[in-house]
Amino acid sequence: MVRLVLPNPGLEDRIPSLGQLEVMEKEEASSRPKWDNKTQYMLTCVGFCVGLGNVWRFPYLCQSHGGGAFMIPFLILLIVEGIPLLYLEFAIGQRLRKGSVGTWSSIHPALKGVGIASMFVSFMVGLYYNTIIAWVMWYFFNSFQDPLPWSSCPLNDNRTGYVEECTRSSAVDYYWYRETLNISASISDSGSVQWWILLCLTCAWSVLYVCTIRGIETTGKAVYITSTLPYVVLTIFLIRGLTLKGATNGIVFLFTPNITELANPVTWLDAGTQVFYSFSLAFGGLISFSSYNSVHNNCEMDSVIVSVINGFTSVYAATVVYSIIGFRATERFDDCFSQNILTLINGFDLPEGNVTQENFSEMQRWCNATNPVAFAQLKFQTCDMNSFLSEGVEGTGLAFIVFTEAITKMPVSPLWSVLFFIMLFCLGLSSMFGNMEGVVVPLQDLKVIPEKWPKELVTGLICLGSYLIAFIFTLNSGQYWLSLMDSYAGSVPLLIIAFCEMFAVVYVYGVDRFNKDIEFMIGHKPNIFWQITWRVVSPLLMLVIFLFFFVVKVNEELTYSIWDPSYEEFPKSQKVSYPDWVYAVVVLIAGVPCLIIPCFAVYTLIRNYCQRGENQQLISARSTASMNGDLKY
């Protein structure tokens, strides 16, 4: 077993001893917030971990990587990568009783950059995550109409037909890209602020401020709704989905395994990153949440329970999503077939009702034999169920295009629309609680904000500052900016932060010391599984994922998808290269948090070295004075 521990002078002075922990807990009872009960804490952690990615990214990855076969690497990496790091964050936060900056600087001053990087990433992710909540609110407010506004194309200005852009695409596409985003054709074409999105953004940040105004004292109450309601809505959708025509086609398609995908390294890479991001690790929020626990809380059991719920939710949500996608695909298949039947009937002047899906092939052969020249002139569409099912859509496309289209085909569609967007709102809001905690507490640890300022004011200033910066997402190019942030702000930086966290605990704090801490807190030492994963397996996996990610991305040109009605293949999205200045933005949002860690470490070590030199000179001067009889030393 690896037992390497780096020199760490002064550690005993920076952290409380085990004997002091219980005394500290009693002393903090009046000055530091704590959870009302264990349920409140667990719901907050589940709400933070289970987010929008569980609903719209995991199903897409399953569909892209062999359906049920993707579950194998996902579950393996969940066990050997996700759970150990989650346990480590819970345990170190509960032991040191501080936020991310306070925790890592207590272990070693040179590690303060790890906490600052976590805070930076939480802030950047929160900026665009709450914008998605604003979009959800816009759709929610517009769901109280019958028919739904995205169920049909609007009339043109002359009221003689439908808007051309809508007829060339679809009603749901048009409502999303034009009515909601009013999107431009380039990230360089900023356009103007869209006032309706700005109003929704104002509502989103206002709701978040009210819920986080006093930290866990207020979020702890909100999670009783935001963390439980999504499961109720998912269950309702599953029951409804299973009664729809073609729902089983989607579920069977999702879980039919393609075992050959297991030999594809990209499948394992995507499984590892999905496990990693779905746990909301390295944001700093989980460390803060666990620091409010009792000293003797069983953090090991907590990590296992949260992990099981998280994994279950991903699979459960995928089942619900693909029951609806199966229904949508069946509807499109039927529409395609109906169009072909109509083409055949009109081409050969057949009686209506004579041609059905069951006898269509037979009627085609009969028509071809009867009049081959006329039959050759008919143009039939290709109707393939698997093609409709395998149209891979993730992220906002799944929520605002695929699901909204399926909902328009359901009876009482406004009700299902309201339920769906309430669920997304709760999922997003509960995840934002953790992001806010990951920003507010580190700022207090850094003493950037005067201690006498009330928490309500601090939270308000952070929400206001974030709201003002998020104006960029309300521009015509806002969707492109959000996609850019989503691709880089929460990817590589989190991976590096998590690797540094595990390295810091195992090799700087000392895994043997950590084992004794856990034994004191929960009554027994971590077993051999935790020892192997903490010391070797998990750090190695993160390193492999990072290297593989780096190799893939470094040779990849930065491109993005635009919505351009003048594109010759419209309504397909056009792939174009980012302008050169975007590379500077990528360095800012992905490079800065990564560079903060080594830069702060080097700065701290140089500062300590210089201070040590000054102290030695001072001691030498004092010794000389003593020898001359001027000072008793």
Side-chain angles (χ1 to χ4, degrees):
M1 193 70 73
V2 181
R3 291 189 177 276
L4 172 66
V5 179
L6 300 176
N8 191 359
L11 176 62
E12 299 291 349
D13 299 325
R14 294 192 299 269
I15 65 172
S17 66
L18 295 177
Q20 294 174 315
L21 279 179
E22 292 175 338
V23 177
M24 280 180 60
E25 184 178 356
K26 292 176 182 177
E27 291 174 349
E28 291 173 348
S30 58
S31 61
R32 200 165 189 270
K34 62 178 182 179
W35 301 105
D36 292 345
N37 51 63
K38 185 64 176 285
T39 302
Q40 192 179 82
Y41 165 67
M42 294 299 289
L43 285 175
T44 303
C45 290
V46 168
F48 184 32
C49 293
V50 176
L52 297 171
N54 295 73
V55 172
W56 64 33
R57 179 159 171 78
F58 181 79
Y60 166 77
L61 290 174
C62 283
Q63 179 265 322
S64 302
H65 295 297
F70 182 77
M71 303 289 179
I72 298 171
F74 174 76
L75 292 174
I76 290 173
L77 294 174
L78 183 142
I79 293 169
V80 299
E81 179 190 18
I83 303 178
L85 190 52
L86 183 67
Y87 184 12
L88 181 140
E89 288 202 354
F90 279 166
I92 201 68
Q94 186 172 306
R95 167 64 176 90
L96 299 181
R97 314 197 66 71
K98 293 180 180 179
S100 58
V101 168
T103 293
W104 303 117
S105 56
S106 293
I107 291 176
H108 197 288
L111 293 172
K112 184 181 283 189
V114 177
I116 297 173
S118 291
M119 178 187 71
F120 188 88
V121 173
S122 287
F123 178 74
M124 297 297 287
V125 170
L127 283 178
Y128 73 79
Y129 210 86
N130 220 31
T131 303
I132 296 174
I133 296 176
W135 293 342
V136 167
M137 294 178 82
W138 166 252
Y139 269 78
F140 172 75
F141 294 146
N142 283 282
S143 294
F144 294 93
Q145 302 179 48
D146 192 15
L148 291 169
W150 53 85
S151 60
S152 60
C153 288
L155 294 173
N156 57 25
D157 292 337
N158 298 328
R159 309 192 72 79
T160 56
Y162 296 113
V163 174
E164 183 187 1
E165 184 181 348
C166 185
T167 55
R168 290 175 60 202
S169 52
S170 68
V172 287
D173 283 327
Y174 181 81
Y175 190 83
W176 169 239
Y177 288 111
R178 189 58 55 210
E179 298 281 356
T180 301
L181 302 176
N182 194 18
I183 198 165
S184 62
S186 167
I187 192 172
S188 301
D189 181 11
S190 299
S192 59
V193 171
Q194 310 304 300
W195 63 266
W196 55 93
I197 297 297
L198 181 60
L199 284 178
C200 292
L201 188 70
T202 307
C203 290
W205 280 105
S206 299
V207 170
L208 181 64
Y209 173 64
V210 170
C211 292
T212 59
I213 188 168
R214 300 190 67 187
I216 67 165
E217 294 176 35
T218 46
T219 57
K221 308 294 188 296
V223 292
Y224 287 113
I225 296 174
T226 60
S227 294
T228 56
L229 190 60
Y231 291 95
V232 175
V233 176
L234 277 174
T235 303
I236 293 171
F237 262 102
L238 180 63
I239 295 170
R240 180 69 184 103
L242 292 175
T243 63
L244 296 171
K245 180 183 178 182
T248 52
N249 292 335
I251 296 173
V252 169
F253 181 82
L254 172 66
F255 289 107
T256 301
N258 179 7
I259 302 300
T260 57
E261 276 291 326
L262 294 177
N264 183 0
V266 177
T267 301
W268 289 84
L269 176 66
D270 282 345
T273 51
Q274 176 62 20
V275 165
F276 184 80
Y277 303 135
S278 70
F279 276 93
S280 297
L281 298 165
F283 281 97
L286 293 172
I287 294 176
S288 292
F289 287 150
S290 64
S291 71
Y292 304 123
N293 275 326
S294 166
V295 172
H296 295 293
N297 173 63
N298 191 340
C299 50
E300 180 178 274
M301 184 60 67
D302 294 346
S303 63
V304 174
I305 292 173
V306 171
S307 301
V308 169
I309 292 174
N310 196 359
F312 165 77
T313 305
S314 294
V315 177
Y316 189 53
T319 306
V320 175
V321 166
Y322 266 85
S323 69
I324 302 299
I325 286 178
F327 162 68
R328 172 180 175 263
T330 303
E331 287 282 314
R332 295 181 72 181
F333 179 80
D334 288 346
D335 290 343
C336 178
F337 231 116
S338 297
Q339 189 63 42
N340 284 348
I341 289 172
L342 189 62
T343 300
L344 192 64
I345 288 174
N346 291 339
F348 282 82
D349 198 23
L350 300 172
E352 191 173 339
N354 269 26
V355 185
T356 62
Q357 285 191 19
E358 288 74 23
N359 69 359
F360 181 74
S361 297
E362 183 182 340
M363 291 299 294
Q364 274 186 315
R365 288 192 294 272
W366 180 83
C367 292
N368 189 28
T370 304
N371 191 342
V373 176
F375 184 82
Q377 293 176 344
L378 300 179
K379 292 184 179 179
F380 296 103
Q381 298 179 29
T382 302
C383 303
D384 179 48
M385 177 65 78
N386 279 340
S387 297
F388 291 127
L389 286 169
S390 60
E391 289 178 354
V393 181
E394 65 170 322
T396 53
L398 177 63
F400 299 112
I401 295 176
V402 173
F403 238 87
T404 51
E405 181 186 343
I407 285 170
T408 59
K409 300 179 186 300
M410 295 182 188
V412 201
S413 54
L415 172 64
W416 299 109
S417 183
V418 167
L419 283 175
F420 177 65
F421 289 110
I422 283 178
M423 178 188 74
L424 291 186
F425 176 77
C426 289
L427 284 170
L429 187 63
S430 57
S431 293
M432 277 302 298
F433 294 161
N435 278 325
M436 283 297 294
E437 186 75 13
V439 176
V440 174
V441 175
L443 280 177
Q444 292 174 325
D445 289 345
L446 288 168
K447 304 193 186 312
V448 174
I449 299 168
E451 292 184 15
K452 62 181 180 181
W453 286 16
K455 194 156 192 173
E456 295 87 345
L457 177 60
V458 175
T459 306
L461 289 173
I462 292 170
C463 286
L464 179 62
S466 301
Y467 165 70
L468 294 174
I469 296 172
F471 272 35
I472 194 172
F473 302 120
T474 67
L475 300 172
N476 296 101
S477 59
Q479 158 73 2
Y480 304 136
W481 279 101
L482 189 140
S483 298
L484 180 68
M485 297 272 283
D486 187 38
S487 298
Y488 296 100
S491 55
V492 175
L494 289 177
L495 203 57
I496 291 175
I497 292 166
F499 178 81
C500 291
E501 286 182 357
M502 194 159 277
F503 182 85
V505 170
V506 175
Y507 299 112
V508 180
Y509 185 76
V511 74
D512 290 332
R513 180 194 299 273
F514 191 50
N515 289 336
K516 290 176 183 176
D517 292 344
I518 292 176
E519 184 178 17
F520 172 80
M521 291 189 294
I522 69 174
H524 63 85
K525 283 186 178 181
N527 59 36
I528 189 69
F529 168 77
W530 304 114
Q531 303 296 331
I532 294 173
T533 51
W534 284 336
R535 295 170 194 251
V536 181
V537 178
S538 294
L540 196 61
L541 273 173
M542 283 186 278
L543 202 58
V544 168
I545 290 172
F546 169 72
L547 291 174
F548 196 90
F549 184 89
F550 183 78
V551 168
V552 169
K553 291 294 181 182
V554 79
N555 295 318
E556 194 176 78
E557 185 183 10
L558 294 185
T559 60
Y560 67 113
S561 299
I562 64 169
W563 178 263
D564 185 5
S566 63
Y567 179 47
E568 59 185 15
E569 294 185 38
F570 184 82
K572 287 185 177 180
S573 295
Q574 182 182 2
K575 285 275 187 184
V576 297
S577 299
Y578 275 115
D580 292 339
W581 56 264
V582 166
Y583 287 84
V585 178
V586 171
V587 170
L588 176 66
I589 61 179
V592 169
C594 297
L595 293 173
I596 285 175
I597 299 171
C599 288
F600 201 91
V602 171
Y603 162 74
T604 304
L605 294 173
I606 292 174
R607 187 190 62 185
N608 291 346
Y609 178 79
C610 293
Q611 287 177 347
R612 199 178 306 120
E614 290 174 3
N615 291 338
Q616 287 175 351
Q617 290 177 1
L618 182 61
I619 292 170
S620 176
R622 286 179 176 177
S623 301
T624 304
S626 177
M627 288 172 65
N628 292 335
D630 297 326
L631 180 66
K632 300 294 182 184
Y633 190 75

